[in-house]
Amino acid sequence: MEHHFTGPPYTLGVEEELMIVDAKTMDLVPAIEEMMVDVPPETEGQVKPELLQSVLEIATDVCRNVSEAAGQLDELRRRVRQTAEKKGLTIGSAGTHPFARWEDQRIVDRERYHEILDALGFVVRQELLFGLHVHVGIDDPEKAIHVANGMRVHIPILLALSSNSPFWRGMATNLMSARTPIFRLLPRVGVPQRFDGWADYQARIEFMVEAGAIVDYTFLWWDVRPHPNLGTVEVRCCDAQTRLDHTIAITALIQAMCKELAEHHEAGYELGTFPHELLEENKWLAARYGLTGDLIDLPQSARVPARELARRLVDRLLPHARELGAARELETVIELTEGGTGAERQLADWRADRDLRALVRKIVASTARGIRGRIDDAGARTRS
């Protein structure tokens, strides 16, 4: 298997899956193809379809740092919203659309998606979900496997911080991330097994390809995975974020985590080993309670408040973030713990009037706010 783990390290690529909604009714609209026709040419390759026609993906170029990624995402959100508004549509971002039904959605007419539909059938049609994926550049294949192995223990706190899908099909689910168990319906998902090194990873992936289980490793939809073609470790466990500053805070946290693990590898440290079932249990706790509950404080068996764990991580990783030029963005994680996750905000808004369409309007309005003060098309100042 060829790879591009050649550096420079800690570069970033960020992908956000966004909702295309009717500007009046707030219903999801299968409009990705007509959106793609009118997307500005300067964003070619950065705006893409996904499996369902009501989903739009934006993706940054390779970015040198968090600030550059923030600027690109800010601009991409603005451009796709402007394109949508010309068609009576708009853009929202959350882990699920609060009241949409998967039965009303259409599959994008592309060969890859028809292959997935043929292979997975009914299961994949239910995947009306929106995620945030963060790529971090790693400059050595063995180091990439070490980082991917080490990131498995961080998946629960990243999910808790990013939890932003408390509703599904018009119901309050009593979960902070309903997206997580719904995504589990697919094969080849969840917390991956540990790999012994690059040769082990390569052999196991090639065996799956030769056996006809997968076409290539991109059909492995794990929470974290090495991405040899891009030379990155990709973290895929997070719900899509409504507020762009939350996207950027989580990106800065993931980058700092990867840097810490890469330096552990360079220093010759071995990773701790944890039972896979404990990693999965911690992930379940994160999906169920978000930051409002407790997580197992591995390697100990004690449970601690998720908010406390997040604050401890920020304190520990802040020196790494300073070296990466992302200290301010990482400190926004503390603001997220104090002000509430997307799921907590959604639930608070909904409890005020029990109106899901009004909730989607608030999601759309928050999605439109950038990371800094800016005059929008209507002449009103927006702030994060």
Side-chain angles (χ1 to χ4, degrees):
M1 182 188 297
E2 293 184 4
H3 71 80
H4 295 94
F5 295 114
T6 55
Y10 317 129
T11 54
L12 291 165
V14 185
E15 302 162 356
E16 292 189 299
E17 294 167 344
L18 306 175
M19 304 182 287
I20 306 172
V21 301
D22 185 284
K24 292 182 179 179
T25 67
M26 296 294 114
D27 290 314
L28 275 182
V29 179
I32 184 59
E33 299 294 5
E34 59 181 289
M35 286 277 295
M36 292 300 297
V37 171
D38 292 333
V39 164
E42 56 267 32
T43 61
E44 184 178 355
Q46 294 181 297
V47 180
K48 309 171 186 178
E50 263 294 333
L51 176 70
L52 298 173
Q53 293 186 24
S54 50
V55 184
L56 178 149
E57 179 182 287
I58 57 174
T60 69
D61 294 326
V62 177
C63 297
R64 294 164 296 176
N65 50 51
V66 173
S67 178
E68 186 176 346
Q72 288 194 23
L73 288 171
D74 197 9
E75 182 68 8
L76 284 167
R77 281 192 177 201
R78 183 182 68 83
R79 286 183 179 274
V80 295
R81 188 178 74 254
Q82 288 177 339
T83 300
E85 287 171 350
K86 294 174 184 176
K87 301 176 181 297
L89 307 170
T90 190
I91 298 297
S93 184
T96 56
H97 184 285
F99 60 83
R101 295 168 60 89
W102 61 263
E103 297 95 326
D104 301 327
Q105 309 307 312
R106 303 176 196 165
I107 302 293
V108 169
D109 188 16
R110 305 288 170 93
E111 183 179 357
R112 176 183 172 93
Y113 301 130
H114 285 301
E115 290 175 354
I116 292 173
L117 179 61
D118 183 62
L120 302 179
F122 167 78
V123 169
V124 78
R125 286 192 175 275
Q126 300 179 70
E127 299 300 304
L128 185 58
L129 307 171
F130 305 84
L132 164 66
H133 302 164
V134 178
H135 293 258
V136 180
I138 303 295
D139 58 359
D140 175 82
E142 297 295 344
K143 191 186 300 181
I145 299 302
H146 181 94
V147 170
N149 284 338
M151 285 299 295
R152 299 182 313 147
V153 77
H154 291 317
I155 286 167
I157 191 61
L158 290 171
L159 176 57
L161 284 162
S162 71
S163 58
N164 194 23
S165 53
F167 296 97
W168 178 244
R169 296 168 62 87
M171 297 183 298
T173 63
N174 211 28
L175 302 170
M176 290 301 191
S177 177
R179 171 184 169 272
T180 297
I182 296 165
F183 194 66
R184 283 298 300 264
L185 294 171
L186 293 175
R188 307 183 295 276
V189 298
V191 180
Q193 298 293 327
R194 178 189 176 106
F195 294 97
D196 291 336
W198 172 250
D200 180 42
Y201 170 82
Q202 186 174 13
R204 287 161 69 175
I205 301 306
E206 288 179 350
F207 189 94
M208 292 186 76
V209 172
E210 290 169 5
I214 56 175
V215 176
D216 58 51
Y217 72 86
T218 66
F219 285 78
L220 301 169
W221 301 301
W222 295 324
D223 292 333
V224 57
R225 67 183 185 185
H227 205 309
N229 287 347
L230 300 180
T232 65
V233 168
E234 180 187 10
V235 177
R236 302 168 47 85
C237 62
C238 298
D239 282 0
Q241 298 299 286
T242 304
R243 295 167 59 108
L244 184 54
D245 56 339
H246 288 178
T247 295
I248 299 310
I250 290 166
T251 298
L253 179 60
I254 290 170
Q255 185 191 38
M257 288 172 168
C258 288
K259 181 175 182 292
E260 180 184 61
L261 287 164
E263 292 180 357
H264 282 179
H265 176 77
E266 291 166 357
Y269 296 146
E270 293 291 328
L271 291 170
T273 58
F274 307 106
H276 191 263
E277 59 270 22
L278 275 182
L279 299 178
E280 287 285 5
E281 177 64 19
N282 239 9
K283 183 185 169 186
W284 161 250
L285 293 172
R288 171 63 181 86
Y289 299 106
L291 287 183
T292 68
D294 297 341
L295 293 174
I296 304 166
D297 189 18
L298 296 171
Q300 305 172 71
S301 60
R303 284 166 60 148
V304 298
R307 280 187 163 85
E308 177 186 325
L309 183 58
R311 294 186 187 107
R312 277 171 26 198
L313 268 172
V314 169
D315 289 343
R316 191 180 87 208
L317 294 171
L318 197 54
H320 294 288
R322 287 196 185 101
E323 292 178 12
L324 293 164
R328 178 176 58 83
E329 291 86 350
L330 180 64
E331 288 171 340
T332 304
V333 172
I334 300 300
E335 295 177 22
L336 195 163
T337 65
E338 294 171 349
T341 63
E344 291 175 81
R345 292 166 186 262
Q346 283 194 51
L347 288 166
D349 286 339
W350 172 71
R351 286 168 180 150
D353 56 19
R354 305 281 167 150
D355 186 337
L356 288 177
R357 291 187 189 274
L359 174 59
V360 178
R361 288 189 186 92
K362 290 175 182 176
I363 290 172
V364 165
S366 293
T367 303
R369 297 191 184 106
I371 54 172
R372 53 188 177 274
R374 182 181 67 236
I375 302 298
D376 65 15
D377 299 333
R381 181 162 296 278
T382 58
R383 294 182 296 273
S384 60

